[in-house]
């Protein structure tokens, strides 16, 4: 039986049950009015009306949503899974229980998936479209742009030039980059020369005890739109100076403060947030700076990434990297990132050679971005955005 026929039968069954229940309620209401006793006037408890679909048997609901999740594996068809989570609370709880993280299933479903690590085996393939007129960059899910432009938008960034730095505000939508918006996820900020960048996240990479306690205590005190949301420094990107242009292509290093080096060791795990926190504020700390340091205070424990060194091709007379067909246009922005470790970290040779993030040009203002564990889509997108900024001292 197809999913549509199951839904059709459930709808007919729900309509019948609803009509019977309404007749029963009307009869009880009439009988109650014939009674002579008087009760105190007490306001009834507020009931949450979730609709007739909330009354489905849990076993049946679990089977329906599991079938939908297994059948719709790509966008835009996977939108049906999101619709299931939007029906009511019971549907949402079961959908969140069934849908796995990108690390486990290799698929992106909910917005929180963009903050979770990618799969370990094969990378998630995306592409970035740059709009020079509006200074925006949009990250889409897919191998290459489709002809009908129906690709799934994952993240968007707007470039903002300031007197001493450049910022990229990153949002879930392409038309609202305000820090007071619920779609704001973070930013990327550069120094004056464009040689060092810092990635900020709007939420802590791990759900710490202090953060949860503050959220529960001040849950009813919503953040005013006039107050800036807190920023957590999660990574630093550095480009080596090359003023005389004698060192070849760009050299970059990334320090992922929020990801420990143990994440790429055998049995290691990377921080995986489960949901977006409420935007709450503690009045006792509202006068402090809006920028918070990362919880990993020891830089030696952080994961270090470096760009994979290209080789010089004698026949082509240029530097080359094997992008496995995902990059087709030569550009100074093209790069591959691998883990920078030494023998004391006890990381296998296979993990050291594995490309964690790959970025390159395939056309005018179109670039591919392939990432895998332990990076998330947001972290990978922010690193790629640093390549778009002008770096006259590094090229």
């Amino acid at each position: 039986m197809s999913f549509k026929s199951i839904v059709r039968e459930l709808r007919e069954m729900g309509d019948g049950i609803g009509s019977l229940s309404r007749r029963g309620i009307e009869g009880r209401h009439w009988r109650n009015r014939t009674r002579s006793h008087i009760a105190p006037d007490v306001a009834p408890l507020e009931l949450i009306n979730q609709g007739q679909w909330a009354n489905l048997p849990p076993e049946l609901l679990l089977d329906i949503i599991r079938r939908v999740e297994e059948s719709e594996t790509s966008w835009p068809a996977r939108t049906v899974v999101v619709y299931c989570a939007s029906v009511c609370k019971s549907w949402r709880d079961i959908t969140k229980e069934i849908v796995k993280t990108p690390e486990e299933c290799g698929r992106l479903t909910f917005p929180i998936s963009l903050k979770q690590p990618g799969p370990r085996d094969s990378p998630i393939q995306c592409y970035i479209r740059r709009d020079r007129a509006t200074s925006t960059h949009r990250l889409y899910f897919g191998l290459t742009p489709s002809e009908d432009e129906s690709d799934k938008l994952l993240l968007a960034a707007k470039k903002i030039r300031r007197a001493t730095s450049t910022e990229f505000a990153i949002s879930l939508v392409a038309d609202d980059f305000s820090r007071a918006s619920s779609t704001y996820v973070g930013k990327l900020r550069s120094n004056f020369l464009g040689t060092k960048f810092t990635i900020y996240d709007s939420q802590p990479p791990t759900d710490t005890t202090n953060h949860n306690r503050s959220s529960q205590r001040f849950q009813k005190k919503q953040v005013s739109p006039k107050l800036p949301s807190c920023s957590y420094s999660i990574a630093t990107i550095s480009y080596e100076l090359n003023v005389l242009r004698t060192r070849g292509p760009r050299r970059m290093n990334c320090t992922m403060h929020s990801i420990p080096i143990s994440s790429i060791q055998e049995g290691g795990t990377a921080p995986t947030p489960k949901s977006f926190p409420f935007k709450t504020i503690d009045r006792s700390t509202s006068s402090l700076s809006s920028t918070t340091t990362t919880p990993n205070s020891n830089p030696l424990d952080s994961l270090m990434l470096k760009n994979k060194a290209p080789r010089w091709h004698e026949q082509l007379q240029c530097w080359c990297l094997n992008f496995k067909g995902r990059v087709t246009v030569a550009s100074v922005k093209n790069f591959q990132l691998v883990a920078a470790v030494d023998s004391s970290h006890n990381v296998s040779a296979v993990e050291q050679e594995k490309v964690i993030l790959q970025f390159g040009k395939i056309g005018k203002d179109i670039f591919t971005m392939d990432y895998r564990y332990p990076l998330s889509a947001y972290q990978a997108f922010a690193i790629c955005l640093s390549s778009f900024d002008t770096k006259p001292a590094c090229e």
Side-chain angles (χ1 to χ4, degrees), residues 106-329:
R107 294 189 289 267
L108 301 174
T109 307
F110 301 115
I112 194 60
S113 302
L114 304 175
K115 295 289 189 73
Q116 297 173 339
R120 294 175 181 262
D121 299 331
S122 58
I124 293 180
Q125 298 176 320
C126 314
Y127 72 91
I128 299 174
R129 184 185 293 274
R130 176 176 58 180
D131 190 340
R132 297 176 183 266
T134 59
S135 299
T136 57
H137 302 75
R138 301 183 182 184
L139 176 67
Y140 293 92
F141 178 76
L143 296 176
T144 55
S146 60
E147 296 180 358
D148 56 358
E149 298 184 356
S150 61
D151 298 322
K152 173 62 178 176
L153 175 67
L154 301 179
L155 292 168
K158 185 175 181 60
K159 188 176 183 179
I160 305 172
R161 295 187 181 274
R162 305 192 183 279
T164 58
S165 63
T166 300
E167 287 189 2
F168 290 86
I170 306 176
S171 173
L172 295 173
V173 295
D175 56 356
D176 188 2
F177 298 95
S178 172
R179 294 186 62 184
S181 173
S182 60
T183 59
Y184 175 82
V185 293
K187 66 179 179 180
L188 174 73
R189 176 186 292 175
S190 73
N191 62 355
F192 179 74
L193 295 177
T195 58
K196 186 176 180 180
F197 296 79
T198 304
I199 303 176
Y200 296 95
D201 199 334
S202 61
Q203 69 178 104
T206 56
D207 298 330
T208 59
T209 305
N210 294 334
H211 175 74
N212 289 338
R213 186 181 305 162
S214 175
S215 298
Q216 295 172 1
R217 181 180 177 184
F218 300 95
Q219 186 172 358
K220 296 182 180 180
K221 300 176 182 178
Q222 298 296 331
V223 175
S224 171
K226 297 181 180 179
L227 294 176
S229 57
C230 193
S231 296
Y232 298 86
S233 174
I234 61 171
T236 304
I237 309 167
S238 301
Y239 289 84
E240 295 184 10
L241 293 175
N242 190 16
V243 180
L244 301 179
R245 299 184 180 182
T246 58
R247 298 183 180 179
R250 292 177 180 176
R251 296 183 182 180
M252 60 185 300
N253 296 277
C254 303
T255 304
M256 310 304 298
H257 304 297
S258 60
I259 304 178
I261 186 65
S262 60
S263 62
I264 61 174
Q265 296 174 349
E266 186 176 359
T269 58
T272 305
K274 298 301 182 182
S275 61
F276 286 102
F278 291 104
K279 286 194 173 183
T280 57
I281 186 169
D282 187 344
R283 291 181 179 177
S284 63
T285 60
S286 60
S287 61
L288 299 178
S289 173
S290 59
T291 301
T292 306
T293 57
T294 179
N296 189 5
S297 58
N298 188 2
L300 297 179
D301 296 335
S302 302
L303 175 65
M304 303 285 293
L305 303 178
K306 64 178 180 180
N307 65 307
K308 192 173 183 179
R311 62 179 181 84
W312 178 257
H313 199 290
E314 290 294 341
Q315 296 179 350
L316 300 178
Q317 289 294 300
C318 64
W319 297 96
C320 295
L321 276 173
N322 183 13
F323 291 97
K324 298 183 179 180
R326 289 286 290 155
V327 178
T328 57
V329 180

Side-chain angles (χ1 to χ4, degrees), residues 90-108:
S90 58
W91 284 59
R92 180 166 57 254
D93 293 340
I94 293 181
T95 304
K96 292 172 63 177
E97 178 183 347
I98 293 175
V99 175
K100 299 180 180 179
T101 64
E103 179 185 351
E104 297 171 322
C105 66
R107 294 189 289 267
L108 301 174

Side-chain angles (χ1 to χ4, degrees), residues 323-331 334 358-362 368:
F323 291 97
K324 298 183 179 180
R326 289 286 290 155
V327 178
T328 57
V329 180
S331 174
N334 301 345
Q358 177 176 283
F359 174 78
K361 190 173 184 179
I362 61 173
T368 58

